[in-house]
Amino acid sequence: MKFRLLTLLGATAAILASALTAEAQTALKWAHVYETSEPFHTESVWAAEEIGKRTEGRYKIDVFPASQLGKEADINQGLKLGTVDIIISGSSFAAREYAPIGVTYFPYIFRDPAHLIAYTKSDVFKRLAQGYEDASGNHITAVTYYGTRQTTSNRPIAKCADMQGLKMRVPDVPAYLAMPRACGANTTPIAFAEVYLALQNGTVEAQENPLTTIEAKKFYEVQKHIVLTGHIVDHLNTVVSKNLWSQLSDADKQIFTEVMQEAAERATKIIEEREKKLVETFKERGIEVTEVDKADFESTVMDKVKLEDFGYNKEDFEAIRAVK
């Protein structure tokens, strides 16, 4: 009888402990618009699992890829509405809350990926990130190299003037529009998820994205030319909502930050390695890959586009360009 009672008490204690653990576990949603094959997803999944481990299961983070919880504008809004807790998104969307951070998308501001990563460790980045946090309440924990944006087209392009009149899909972001418009393209905003069909049916003749995105979204199937304009060295921010960040203890903030930065480093390395291989891969598929005189594009942009027209701070621009 005594043994049965002890067994019963032990089982009850185990059930109560399990219930308390379940109750203590916080479920979080991490959203982005990228495909499951891309490192922005695979490394987010790794980070979600790693945060769970390092917090002893107190957080269960589910990652929702490929616009499952909405397009990029939707998930940014979701940070406010509480429908998402963590997102991966570009500074173009952060700029809707705090315009100065959008200067990082201005054409030819970064020399290469190494320059971008150096910027993320600089005082000017800390200032811009803090400005975004002050304006939105959301916290940027990490920055991932997204890729260097190149142009694809159904007609050859060798110099900036060759883009005159080109029907081109460009995200509705001021800095993204700068180079194509300076070169005379007719730009149109189309949702990321709809770009392939728009290229296929001729709604637009061209678009711009990093080589890895051109590969993942199979844009090469509906374009004849890849033009290495290299106009923007692009990046993504890992952003934690104001609500979640304010509730985390200092220790948990450190865990989230360390893991997310490690995930960003892992994804950055993968992207850099893939980009190096893709030029040859596209050539092997019969796509015309063209090197261009970037100086021609850059000088045209700087002649025709003024930072002030975008509301960007010239001092920020020059400070970023000066980062070593």
Tab-separated table of all heavy atoms in Angstrom, residues 94-142:
chain	number	residue	atom	x	y	z
A	94	ALA	N	12.649	49.034	-42.404
A	94	ALA	CA	12.999	49.751	-41.183
A	94	ALA	C	12.956	51.258	-41.430
A	94	ALA	O	12.598	52.043	-40.551
A	94	ALA	CB	14.384	49.329	-40.701
A	95	ALA	N	13.293	51.667	-42.661
A	95	ALA	CA	13.314	53.090	-43.010
A	95	ALA	C	11.923	53.707	-43.013
A	95	ALA	O	11.793	54.932	-42.947
A	95	ALA	CB	13.981	53.287	-44.367
A	96	ARG	N	10.894	52.886	-43.090
A	96	ARG	CA	9.531	53.420	-43.017
A	96	ARG	C	9.229	53.936	-41.609
A	96	ARG	O	8.359	54.787	-41.420
A	96	ARG	CB	8.520	52.349	-43.420
A	96	ARG	CG	8.665	51.914	-44.876
A	96	ARG	CD	7.639	50.873	-45.274
A	96	ARG	NE	7.830	50.460	-46.675
A	96	ARG	CZ	7.038	49.617	-47.327
A	96	ARG	NH1	5.986	49.094	-46.697
A	96	ARG	NH2	7.266	49.307	-48.583
A	97	GLU	N	9.959	53.401	-40.640
A	97	GLU	CA	9.825	53.870	-39.261
A	97	GLU	C	10.876	54.945	-38.951
A	97	GLU	O	10.611	55.861	-38.172
A	97	GLU	CB	10.010	52.694	-38.295
A	97	GLU	CG	9.008	51.571	-38.459
A	97	GLU	CD	7.655	51.894	-37.848
A	97	GLU	OE1	7.538	52.930	-37.165
A	97	GLU	OE2	6.721	51.103	-38.076
A	98	TYR	N	12.048	54.797	-39.560
A	98	TYR	CA	13.153	55.710	-39.284
A	98	TYR	C	13.946	55.895	-40.580
A	98	TYR	O	14.803	55.088	-40.922
A	98	TYR	CB	14.038	55.143	-38.172
A	98	TYR	CG	15.206	56.015	-37.791
A	98	TYR	CD1	15.007	57.275	-37.219
A	98	TYR	CD2	16.516	55.594	-38.022
A	98	TYR	CE1	16.086	58.082	-36.878
A	98	TYR	CE2	17.599	56.390	-37.673
A	98	TYR	CZ	17.375	57.635	-37.108
A	98	TYR	OH	18.442	58.441	-36.768
A	99	ALA	N	13.618	56.936	-41.313
A	99	ALA	CA	14.135	57.141	-42.665
A	99	ALA	C	15.661	57.085	-42.789
A	99	ALA	O	16.173	56.510	-43.757
A	99	ALA	CB	13.612	58.460	-43.225
A	100	PRO	N	16.441	57.653	-41.866
A	100	PRO	CA	17.902	57.669	-42.062
A	100	PRO	C	18.548	56.310	-42.265
A	100	PRO	O	19.573	56.211	-42.952
A	100	PRO	CB	18.403	58.329	-40.769
A	100	PRO	CG	17.289	59.235	-40.362
A	100	PRO	CD	16.041	58.455	-40.692
A	101	ILE	N	17.967	55.237	-41.702
A	101	ILE	CA	18.610	53.925	-41.839
A	101	ILE	C	18.541	53.421	-43.276
A	101	ILE	O	19.307	52.550	-43.692
A	101	ILE	CB	17.983	52.901	-40.851
A	101	ILE	CG1	18.967	51.753	-40.604
A	101	ILE	CG2	16.638	52.372	-41.361
A	101	ILE	CD1	18.552	50.840	-39.459
A	102	GLY	N	17.650	54.006	-44.082
A	102	GLY	CA	17.531	53.617	-45.480
A	102	GLY	C	18.708	54.018	-46.338
A	102	GLY	O	18.853	53.537	-47.472
A	103	VAL	N	19.586	54.861	-45.832
A	103	VAL	CA	20.760	55.283	-46.608
A	103	VAL	C	21.646	54.093	-46.969
A	103	VAL	O	22.392	54.132	-47.945
A	103	VAL	CB	21.570	56.360	-45.833
A	103	VAL	CG1	22.329	55.730	-44.663
A	103	VAL	CG2	22.529	57.100	-46.766
A	104	THR	N	21.540	53.015	-46.213
A	104	THR	CA	22.365	51.830	-46.468
A	104	THR	C	21.985	51.125	-47.760
A	104	THR	O	22.686	50.201	-48.180
A	104	THR	CB	22.256	50.842	-45.291
A	104	THR	OG1	20.873	50.578	-45.034
A	104	THR	CG2	22.886	51.422	-44.043
A	105	TYR	N	20.875	51.524	-48.380
A	105	TYR	CA	20.486	50.952	-49.664
A	105	TYR	C	20.836	51.863	-50.833
A	105	TYR	O	20.498	51.556	-51.972
A	105	TYR	CB	18.975	50.672	-49.686
A	105	TYR	CG	18.591	49.401	-48.992
A	105	TYR	CD1	17.392	49.299	-48.297
A	105	TYR	CD2	19.412	48.278	-49.034
A	105	TYR	CE1	17.030	48.127	-47.657
A	105	TYR	CE2	19.057	47.109	-48.399
A	105	TYR	CZ	17.868	47.032	-47.717
A	105	TYR	OH	17.515	45.869	-47.099
A	106	PHE	N	21.470	52.978	-50.549
A	106	PHE	CA	21.808	53.880	-51.643
A	106	PHE	C	22.847	53.202	-52.535
A	106	PHE	O	23.785	52.571	-52.037
A	106	PHE	CB	22.362	55.205	-51.103
A	106	PHE	CG	22.272	56.327	-52.097
A	106	PHE	CD1	21.076	57.006	-52.286
A	106	PHE	CD2	23.365	56.673	-52.873
A	106	PHE	CE1	20.981	58.030	-53.219
A	106	PHE	CE2	23.280	57.692	-53.810
A	106	PHE	CZ	22.078	58.377	-53.983
A	107	PRO	N	22.689	53.307	-53.861
A	107	PRO	CA	23.604	52.602	-54.774
A	107	PRO	C	25.072	52.945	-54.530
A	107	PRO	O	25.431	54.106	-54.325
A	107	PRO	CB	23.159	53.103	-56.155
A	107	PRO	CG	21.729	53.478	-55.975
A	107	PRO	CD	21.628	54.021	-54.577
A	108	TYR	N	25.871	51.908	-54.532
A	108	TYR	CA	27.325	52.002	-54.460
A	108	TYR	C	27.837	52.627	-53.159
A	108	TYR	O	28.972	53.090	-53.111
A	108	TYR	CB	27.869	52.752	-55.694
A	108	TYR	CG	27.439	52.077	-56.980
A	108	TYR	CD1	26.443	52.632	-57.779
A	108	TYR	CD2	27.996	50.863	-57.374
A	108	TYR	CE1	26.019	51.992	-58.940
A	108	TYR	CE2	27.583	50.225	-58.536
A	108	TYR	CZ	26.585	50.791	-59.313
A	108	TYR	OH	26.168	50.145	-60.458
A	109	ILE	N	27.036	52.570	-52.091
A	109	ILE	CA	27.512	53.055	-50.789
A	109	ILE	C	28.522	52.074	-50.194
A	109	ILE	O	29.485	52.478	-49.548
A	109	ILE	CB	26.336	53.303	-49.814
A	109	ILE	CG1	26.839	54.000	-48.537
A	109	ILE	CG2	25.588	52.019	-49.480
A	109	ILE	CD1	25.714	54.492	-47.630
A	110	PHE	N	28.295	50.759	-50.426
A	110	PHE	CA	29.228	49.738	-49.940
A	110	PHE	C	30.094	49.224	-51.088
A	110	PHE	O	29.598	48.995	-52.197
A	110	PHE	CB	28.475	48.567	-49.309
A	110	PHE	CG	27.741	48.921	-48.051
A	110	PHE	CD1	26.349	48.874	-48.006
A	110	PHE	CD2	28.419	49.292	-46.905
A	110	PHE	CE1	25.662	49.197	-46.842
A	110	PHE	CE2	27.749	49.624	-45.742
A	110	PHE	CZ	26.357	49.579	-45.709
A	111	ARG	N	31.334	49.010	-50.810
A	111	ARG	CA	32.266	48.512	-51.824
A	111	ARG	C	32.072	47.023	-52.092
A	111	ARG	O	32.165	46.570	-53.233
A	111	ARG	CB	33.710	48.764	-51.365
A	111	ARG	CG	34.071	50.233	-51.232
A	111	ARG	CD	35.519	50.417	-50.785
A	111	ARG	NE	35.759	49.922	-49.426
A	111	ARG	CZ	35.530	50.639	-48.321
A	111	ARG	NH1	35.034	51.852	-48.406
A	111	ARG	NH2	35.795	50.133	-47.124
A	112	ASP	N	31.823	46.268	-51.023
A	112	ASP	CA	31.729	44.819	-51.131
A	112	ASP	C	31.160	44.281	-49.821
A	112	ASP	O	30.918	45.045	-48.872
A	112	ASP	CB	33.107	44.209	-51.424
A	112	ASP	CG	34.185	44.710	-50.463
A	112	ASP	OD1	33.874	44.938	-49.267
A	112	ASP	OD2	35.340	44.859	-50.907
A	113	PRO	N	30.938	42.968	-49.717
A	113	PRO	CA	30.373	42.399	-48.481
A	113	PRO	C	31.211	42.678	-47.240
A	113	PRO	O	30.667	42.915	-46.162
A	113	PRO	CB	30.309	40.900	-48.787
A	113	PRO	CG	30.193	40.824	-50.268
A	113	PRO	CD	31.020	41.957	-50.794
A	114	ALA	N	32.540	42.662	-47.387
A	114	ALA	CA	33.402	42.916	-46.229
A	114	ALA	C	33.173	44.327	-45.681
A	114	ALA	O	33.181	44.544	-44.468
A	114	ALA	CB	34.862	42.721	-46.623
A	115	HIS	N	32.959	45.270	-46.571
A	115	HIS	CA	32.672	46.647	-46.164
A	115	HIS	C	31.341	46.707	-45.408
A	115	HIS	O	31.216	47.371	-44.375
A	115	HIS	CB	32.640	47.550	-47.400
A	115	HIS	CG	32.428	48.996	-47.088
A	115	HIS	ND1	32.023	49.906	-48.034
A	115	HIS	CD2	32.548	49.710	-45.932
A	115	HIS	CE1	31.916	51.107	-47.478
A	115	HIS	NE2	32.225	51.007	-46.214
A	116	LEU	N	30.328	45.989	-45.919
A	116	LEU	CA	29.035	45.941	-45.239
A	116	LEU	C	29.175	45.398	-43.818
A	116	LEU	O	28.642	45.977	-42.855
A	116	LEU	CB	28.060	45.068	-46.027
A	116	LEU	CG	26.774	44.666	-45.282
A	116	LEU	CD1	25.873	45.873	-45.065
A	116	LEU	CD2	26.035	43.560	-46.024
A	117	ILE	N	29.885	44.285	-43.664
A	117	ILE	CA	30.039	43.667	-42.345
A	117	ILE	C	30.814	44.585	-41.409
A	117	ILE	O	30.495	44.702	-40.216
A	117	ILE	CB	30.718	42.288	-42.467
A	117	ILE	CG1	29.847	41.338	-43.310
A	117	ILE	CG2	30.976	41.693	-41.094
A	117	ILE	CD1	28.421	41.160	-42.823
A	118	ALA	N	31.815	45.275	-41.943
A	118	ALA	CA	32.562	46.235	-41.124
A	118	ALA	C	31.634	47.346	-40.631
A	118	ALA	O	31.727	47.792	-39.480
A	118	ALA	CB	33.716	46.815	-41.922
A	119	TYR	N	30.729	47.783	-41.501
A	119	TYR	CA	29.752	48.817	-41.116
A	119	TYR	C	28.892	48.357	-39.932
A	119	TYR	O	28.609	49.139	-39.023
A	119	TYR	CB	28.867	49.160	-42.319
A	119	TYR	CG	27.490	49.637	-41.962
A	119	TYR	CD1	27.274	50.920	-41.442
A	119	TYR	CD2	26.377	48.803	-42.126
A	119	TYR	CE1	25.998	51.354	-41.100
A	119	TYR	CE2	25.103	49.230	-41.795
A	119	TYR	CZ	24.920	50.500	-41.275
A	119	TYR	OH	23.654	50.914	-40.931
A	120	THR	N	28.487	47.074	-39.916
A	120	THR	CA	27.603	46.590	-38.859
A	120	THR	C	28.280	46.594	-37.483
A	120	THR	O	27.607	46.427	-36.464
A	120	THR	CB	27.087	45.163	-39.156
A	120	THR	OG1	28.179	44.239	-39.114
A	120	THR	CG2	26.393	45.096	-40.503
A	121	LYS	N	29.594	46.785	-37.468
A	121	LYS	CA	30.335	46.837	-36.201
A	121	LYS	C	30.782	48.259	-35.866
A	121	LYS	O	31.543	48.466	-34.922
A	121	LYS	CB	31.547	45.903	-36.283
A	121	LYS	CG	31.150	44.441	-36.526
A	121	LYS	CD	32.366	43.559	-36.768
A	121	LYS	CE	31.911	42.126	-37.079
A	121	LYS	NZ	33.047	41.234	-37.372
A	122	SER	N	30.288	49.212	-36.646
A	122	SER	CA	30.746	50.595	-36.509
A	122	SER	C	29.809	51.431	-35.635
A	122	SER	O	28.666	51.041	-35.356
A	122	SER	CB	30.839	51.245	-37.888
A	122	SER	OG	29.537	51.459	-38.433
A	123	ASP	N	30.284	52.588	-35.248
A	123	ASP	CA	29.470	53.514	-34.458
A	123	ASP	C	28.289	54.050	-35.261
A	123	ASP	O	27.219	54.289	-34.708
A	123	ASP	CB	30.335	54.684	-33.967
A	123	ASP	CG	31.324	54.261	-32.887
A	123	ASP	OD1	31.092	53.215	-32.252
A	123	ASP	OD2	32.317	54.976	-32.677
A	124	VAL	N	28.475	54.239	-36.563
A	124	VAL	CA	27.376	54.773	-37.367
A	124	VAL	C	26.233	53.764	-37.433
A	124	VAL	O	25.050	54.135	-37.392
A	124	VAL	CB	27.857	55.192	-38.779
A	124	VAL	CG1	28.350	54.017	-39.601
A	124	VAL	CG2	26.739	55.915	-39.522
A	125	PHE	N	26.556	52.460	-37.498
A	125	PHE	CA	25.489	51.451	-37.453
A	125	PHE	C	24.763	51.497	-36.115
A	125	PHE	O	23.525	51.463	-36.066
A	125	PHE	CB	26.046	50.046	-37.673
A	125	PHE	CG	25.041	48.963	-37.333
A	125	PHE	CD1	23.982	48.686	-38.174
A	125	PHE	CD2	25.148	48.247	-36.141
A	125	PHE	CE1	23.038	47.718	-37.853
A	125	PHE	CE2	24.218	47.278	-35.812
A	125	PHE	CZ	23.160	47.010	-36.671
A	126	LYS	N	25.509	51.556	-35.023
A	126	LYS	CA	24.883	51.593	-33.698
A	126	LYS	C	23.933	52.781	-33.584
A	126	LYS	O	22.841	52.666	-33.019
A	126	LYS	CB	25.961	51.670	-32.615
A	126	LYS	CG	26.799	50.404	-32.502
A	126	LYS	CD	27.954	50.597	-31.527
A	126	LYS	CE	28.851	49.372	-31.505
A	126	LYS	NZ	30.055	49.566	-30.648
A	127	ARG	N	24.333	53.912	-34.151
A	127	ARG	CA	23.503	55.110	-34.084
A	127	ARG	C	22.228	54.954	-34.913
A	127	ARG	O	21.140	55.310	-34.465
A	127	ARG	CB	24.320	56.319	-34.557
A	127	ARG	CG	23.542	57.610	-34.640
A	127	ARG	CD	24.481	58.812	-34.640
A	127	ARG	NE	25.591	58.676	-35.573
A	127	ARG	CZ	25.490	58.897	-36.882
A	127	ARG	NH1	24.335	59.228	-37.412
A	127	ARG	NH2	26.558	58.789	-37.658
A	128	LEU	N	22.364	54.413	-36.118
A	128	LEU	CA	21.197	54.232	-36.972
A	128	LEU	C	20.243	53.171	-36.411
A	128	LEU	O	19.024	53.332	-36.448
A	128	LEU	CB	21.640	53.859	-38.391
A	128	LEU	CG	22.344	54.963	-39.179
A	128	LEU	CD1	22.897	54.417	-40.490
A	128	LEU	CD2	21.411	56.141	-39.444
A	129	ALA	N	20.809	52.079	-35.893
A	129	ALA	CA	19.983	51.022	-35.301
A	129	ALA	C	19.238	51.546	-34.075
A	129	ALA	O	18.071	51.205	-33.844
A	129	ALA	CB	20.839	49.812	-34.935
A	130	GLN	N	19.910	52.367	-33.278
A	130	GLN	CA	19.264	52.949	-32.102
A	130	GLN	C	18.162	53.922	-32.518
A	130	GLN	O	17.107	53.991	-31.881
A	130	GLN	CB	20.286	53.668	-31.227
A	130	GLN	CG	19.732	54.156	-29.889
A	130	GLN	CD	19.191	53.013	-29.041
A	130	GLN	OE1	19.887	52.033	-28.782
A	130	GLN	NE2	17.935	53.121	-28.608
A	131	GLY	N	18.395	54.652	-33.589
A	131	GLY	CA	17.368	55.554	-34.096
A	131	GLY	C	16.126	54.798	-34.512
A	131	GLY	O	14.994	55.238	-34.238
A	132	TYR	N	16.329	53.657	-35.171
A	132	TYR	CA	15.194	52.811	-35.552
A	132	TYR	C	14.467	52.292	-34.315
A	132	TYR	O	13.225	52.284	-34.251
A	132	TYR	CB	15.670	51.643	-36.410
A	132	TYR	CG	14.629	50.555	-36.580
A	132	TYR	CD1	13.516	50.753	-37.386
A	132	TYR	CD2	14.748	49.338	-35.911
A	132	TYR	CE1	12.547	49.766	-37.535
A	132	TYR	CE2	13.803	48.341	-36.056
A	132	TYR	CZ	12.699	48.563	-36.867
A	132	TYR	OH	11.745	47.584	-36.992
A	133	GLU	N	15.229	51.862	-33.308
A	133	GLU	CA	14.605	51.338	-32.090
A	133	GLU	C	13.836	52.428	-31.350
A	133	GLU	O	12.739	52.186	-30.845
A	133	GLU	CB	15.656	50.719	-31.181
A	133	GLU	CG	15.067	50.057	-29.941
A	133	GLU	CD	16.042	49.130	-29.243
A	133	GLU	OE1	17.163	48.927	-29.753
A	133	GLU	OE2	15.670	48.592	-28.181
A	134	ASP	N	14.386	53.625	-31.298
A	134	ASP	CA	13.696	54.729	-30.630
A	134	ASP	C	12.378	55.051	-31.334
A	134	ASP	O	11.383	55.400	-30.692
A	134	ASP	CB	14.577	55.977	-30.607
A	134	ASP	CG	15.793	55.826	-29.699
A	134	ASP	OD1	15.791	54.906	-28.853
A	134	ASP	OD2	16.744	56.612	-29.850
A	135	ALA	N	12.374	54.922	-32.664
A	135	ALA	CA	11.185	55.263	-33.445
A	135	ALA	C	10.132	54.162	-33.417
A	135	ALA	O	8.921	54.447	-33.402
A	135	ALA	CB	11.582	55.560	-34.891
A	136	SER	N	10.571	52.904	-33.409
A	136	SER	CA	9.632	51.782	-33.550
A	136	SER	C	9.444	50.961	-32.283
A	136	SER	O	8.427	50.278	-32.120
A	136	SER	CB	10.122	50.839	-34.654
A	136	SER	OG	11.322	50.194	-34.249
A	137	GLY	N	10.457	50.976	-31.426
A	137	GLY	CA	10.462	50.105	-30.256
A	137	GLY	C	11.058	48.744	-30.544
A	137	GLY	O	11.415	48.008	-29.627
A	138	ASN	N	11.190	48.390	-31.818
A	138	ASN	CA	11.734	47.092	-32.205
A	138	ASN	C	13.260	47.126	-32.172
A	138	ASN	O	13.873	48.167	-32.392
A	138	ASN	CB	11.256	46.720	-33.603
A	138	ASN	CG	9.743	46.715	-33.702
A	138	ASN	OD1	9.047	46.300	-32.781
A	138	ASN	ND2	9.221	47.194	-34.825
A	139	HIS	N	13.843	45.967	-31.919
A	139	HIS	CA	15.294	45.892	-31.712
A	139	HIS	C	15.957	45.042	-32.787
A	139	HIS	O	15.566	43.900	-33.024
A	139	HIS	CB	15.584	45.282	-30.332
A	139	HIS	CG	17.036	45.205	-30.002
A	139	HIS	ND1	17.787	46.297	-29.627
A	139	HIS	CD2	17.898	44.146	-30.022
A	139	HIS	CE1	19.031	45.929	-29.407
A	139	HIS	NE2	19.125	44.628	-29.643
A	140	ILE	N	16.977	45.600	-33.459
A	140	ILE	CA	17.768	44.856	-34.440
A	140	ILE	C	18.861	44.089	-33.705
A	140	ILE	O	19.720	44.690	-33.070
A	140	ILE	CB	18.388	45.805	-35.482
A	140	ILE	CG1	17.287	46.523	-36.278
A	140	ILE	CG2	19.310	45.027	-36.437
A	140	ILE	CD1	17.801	47.600	-37.216
A	141	THR	N	18.812	42.781	-33.795
A	141	THR	CA	19.794	41.954	-33.094
A	141	THR	C	20.971	41.562	-33.977
A	141	THR	O	22.062	41.298	-33.475
A	141	THR	CB	19.159	40.660	-32.568
A	141	THR	OG1	18.581	39.950	-33.679
A	141	THR	CG2	18.090	40.938	-31.532
A	142	ALA	N	20.744	41.481	-35.292
A	142	ALA	CA	21.796	40.977	-36.180
A	142	ALA	C	21.562	41.467	-37.596
A	142	ALA	O	20.453	41.856	-37.963
A	142	ALA	CB	21.824	39.446	-36.146
